DNA sequence: GAAATTTACATGAAATTTCATGTTTTGTGG
DNA sequence: CCACAAAACATGAAATTTCATGTAAATTTC
């Protein structure tokens, strides 16, 4: 009941293979493998992956506050602050204090940033479609559900809003 | 045919939410969410995540060469070299040149390293079982298959052997 | 079998990330 | 309203990571 999948033994007959079937390994490895190509494209665009993530989040919700951005872009706060500073220097985003709550800093796409974000989101969607096609029919649909289930049950699903 | 899942709109009605349904985001976020707890345990043990990965790989295949270790531990080679150096200083592993191919450096667990590796692998297995139980019945089994499918089709599946 | 390539790893400098902490502004209990 | 706690960012120093490159050993070519 715990695990129906037989341990994936190699033909050389390893005594006790742990890593290659371990869920956390599969998740990390799948994430890496699936992202590799597109992230290479991102870097061709002169962006690092975290910067692309910021752009993508702002594409969804322009003017997001730093903390939320950090949650969605999967970047630690102090790191994000520095990344945003760099992006601001490069003219991709703008920072503006929130008059409603003056502790907050809201981040906005510049027109250049928006253009880049939109272009990349389009490419990302295309790439995603390719990936899903790679997976056998039902898998493609199901994997998203499973991942979402994992996330929802492990992390308190927040929104980029507010 | 491309995507049956309706875009997960928030109650505030965002125009065009991309990120929260994007496969690469789901993969990264799921990986993070699923790993968080266990990785915290790893750090309690005084290890950083990459170090734990090295231990886990060596648990499967003691005396692995650096390049393979890097592939399986998902760590870039020059980084791994430095991590291994640190681990050697802490007495967790040993480095020894391979007489068969003197370019290679093989990494071996020390007895302390092995003890730690085995203890953590046991905990990891328990934790994985918990995770799989969190997922609705069939999801647990299917997600691994889907992840493996992704990995296999995107990365040339190698082995830790040799 | 010598030269050219490739593989495996190490290394140094520059850049980034982490961690703890500082500052400012809000929220809260009394 | 005041004291206190919490939230949201910013920041600096230390540590790590990255990137390009260096070295040595094996492999391939011709």
């Amino acid at each position: 009941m715990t695990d129906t999948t037989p341990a994936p033994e190699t033909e050389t007959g390893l005594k006790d293979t742990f890593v290659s079937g371990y869920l956390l390994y599969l998740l990390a490895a799948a994430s890496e493998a699936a992202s590799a190509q597109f992230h290479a494209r991102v870097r061709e665009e002169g962006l690092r992956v975290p910067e692309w993530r910021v752009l993508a989040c702002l594409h969804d919700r322009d003017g997001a506050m730093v903390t939320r951005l950090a949650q969605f872009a999967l970047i630690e706060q102090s790191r994000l602050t520095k990344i945003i500073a760099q992006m601001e220097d490069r003219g991709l985003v703008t920072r503006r204090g929130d008059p409603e709550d003056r502790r907050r800093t809201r981040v906005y796409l510049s027109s250049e940033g928006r253009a880049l974000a939109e272009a990349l989101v389009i490419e990302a969607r295309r790439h995603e479609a390719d990936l899903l096609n790679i997976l056998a029919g039902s898998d493609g649909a199901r994997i998203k559900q499973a991942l979402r289930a994992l996330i929802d049950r492990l992390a308190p699903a927040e929104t980029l809003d507010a």
Side-chain angles (χ1 to χ4, degrees), chain A:
Chain A
M1 187 223 133
T2 338
D3 186 11
T4 43
T5 312
E9 294 297 333
T10 70
E11 62 290 341
T12 43
L14 285 187
K15 43 167 185 170
D16 181 19
T17 269
F18 164 64
V19 172
S20 60
Y22 179 44
L23 179 61
L24 297 195
Y25 167 76
L26 291 173
L27 280 167
S31 181
E32 282 232 336
S35 306
Q37 285 190 315
F38 185 71
H39 286 176
R41 273 266 37 240
V42 165
R43 277 184 287 273
E44 281 177 19
E45 221 55 54
L47 292 174
R48 289 169 301 167
V49 172
E51 292 172 330
W52 145 243
R53 288 188 171 148
V54 168
L55 289 184
C57 287
L58 292 177
H59 160 94
D60 276 10
R61 184 83 183 74
D62 199 23
M65 53 183 281
V66 174
T67 304
R68 286 294 170 76
L69 218 42
Q71 295 173 346
F72 275 79
L74 306 173
I75 303 174
E76 187 267 338
Q77 180 263 313
S78 78
R79 173 144 94 104
L80 178 59
T81 290
K82 287 162 186 169
I83 289 174
I84 288 175
Q86 293 175 321
M87 294 178 75
E88 188 165 37
D89 292 341
R90 286 178 53 183
L92 294 173
V93 301
T94 290
R95 248 188 302 204
R96 209 174 330 140
D98 183 336
E100 308 281 301
D101 184 338
R102 296 170 45 218
R103 292 169 300 183
R104 293 179 177 174
T105 301
R106 290 194 176 277
V107 187
Y108 300 89
L109 287 170
S110 70
S111 54
E112 187 193 341
R114 183 184 318 282
L116 190 47
E118 283 172 359
L120 282 174
V121 166
I122 290 177
E123 284 196 56
R125 288 195 151 114
R126 236 191 308 274
H127 176 255
E128 181 185 28
D130 292 346
L131 278 183
L132 291 174
N133 282 335
I134 281 181
L135 293 174
S138 57
D139 280 345
R142 297 240 171 100
I143 190 169
K144 277 201 179 192
Q145 292 179 10
L147 293 173
R148 236 193 287 268
L150 248 186
I151 294 170
D152 288 347
R153 313 211 185 173
L154 294 172
E158 313 222 21
T159 320
L160 245 183
D161 300 337

